[in-house]
Amino acid sequence: RLKNFTDVNLKFNMGCGRYLKEGWFNIDIGQKNCINLDLRERLPFSDGIASQIYSEHFFEHQVFPVDALTFLHESFRMLCNGGLFSIGVPDGQILLESYCNGTAINDFEIKATLPENPTSMQLVNVLFRNFGHQYIYDYETLAKILREVGFINVTRRPFDPSMDSEHRRDWTLYIDAYKP
């Protein structure tokens, strides 16, 4: 049924969790009010159907390289020529720089359970190991992977309040990339 869409220029919010976007096809597995699909598998959509694919705080939960690359290749396939792929992941660089520079922990707000008076390394472990994270990215690494998949014009972008989740603003690396 999903392959029979005749529309083009559709917008997909992949791995949306409970953060649904109005006017978008919201996709996740085991979530209410969205299309229930496993994004680690080939998706039942036609090639070139999407003008935009967005994903925020989903990709880091995918095992790299197998599941992560499947998701990126499927997104690339679904995008029309010139289509935008926009992704947000926890920014590993921010946290590691804070660790190396001795930045005070209370300069950062992580919505997680931390031990009392956490050390900098405990904070690093929360980002890297908690929440079901499988792989943490910095700009250089994620941009390289996106280019290897075939995306072009890969650029870091600022937080966009019309698109991104406010509670993820401070810890997120946002990247836009295009299908040629």
Side-chain angles (χ1 to χ4, degrees):
R1 181 174 83 137
L2 296 173
K3 281 189 177 186
N4 295 330
F5 283 171
T6 55
D7 292 341
V8 292
N9 297 322
L10 301 177
K11 297 190 291 187
F12 291 85
N13 180 17
M14 304 290 220
C16 60
R18 63 182 181 268
Y19 302 101
L20 306 178
K21 294 190 176 302
E22 190 172 330
W24 293 62
F25 288 93
N26 296 285
I27 299 177
D28 208 335
I29 192 165
Q31 294 292 325
K32 293 180 181 179
N33 302 317
C34 66
I35 299 171
N36 201 347
L37 293 172
D38 188 341
L39 295 172
R40 297 170 297 182
E41 298 176 359
R42 182 163 173 84
L43 299 173
F45 298 105
S46 300
D47 295 356
I49 198 169
S51 63
Q52 191 168 353
I53 293 177
Y54 177 82
S55 180
E56 184 183 43
H57 284 258
F58 160 77
F59 189 65
E60 68 276 8
H61 296 273
Q62 303 311 298
V63 174
F64 187 86
V66 179
D67 297 333
L69 290 178
T70 296
F71 170 71
L72 291 178
H73 283 288
E74 281 298 284
S75 295
F76 189 84
R77 179 186 65 76
M78 287 172 55
L79 281 168
C80 63
N81 293 339
L84 170 63
F85 180 78
S86 188
I87 189 168
V89 296
D91 192 339
Q93 181 178 346
I94 290 173
L95 191 60
L96 292 176
E97 284 178 353
S98 73
Y99 175 83
C100 292
N101 296 331
T103 304
I105 291 169
N106 54 0
D107 287 352
F108 300 94
E109 291 185 27
I110 289 184
K111 306 284 191 268
T113 303
L114 290 170
E116 189 173 329
N117 300 315
T119 68
S120 294
M121 186 53 71
Q122 286 173 317
L123 188 61
V124 166
N125 274 293
V126 164
L127 180 64
F128 279 69
R129 302 300 304 159
N130 287 13
F131 314 110
H133 293 168
Q134 297 295 316
Y135 203 93
I136 297 297
Y137 299 88
D138 63 354
Y139 173 75
E140 178 184 19
T141 303
L142 188 48
K144 177 182 184 283
I145 294 166
L146 290 169
R147 287 184 191 106
E148 288 171 351
V149 168
F151 288 100
I152 61 170
N153 301 330
V154 178
T155 57
R156 180 180 211 136
R157 70 165 173 83
F159 172 84
D160 179 350
S162 70
M163 177 100 80
D164 307 321
S165 300
E166 179 63 39
H167 71 281
R168 294 176 166 151
R169 175 191 290 253
D170 295 332
W171 287 90
T172 302
L173 163 65
Y174 292 104
I175 296 179
D176 283 348
Y178 293 85
K179 182 174 179 177

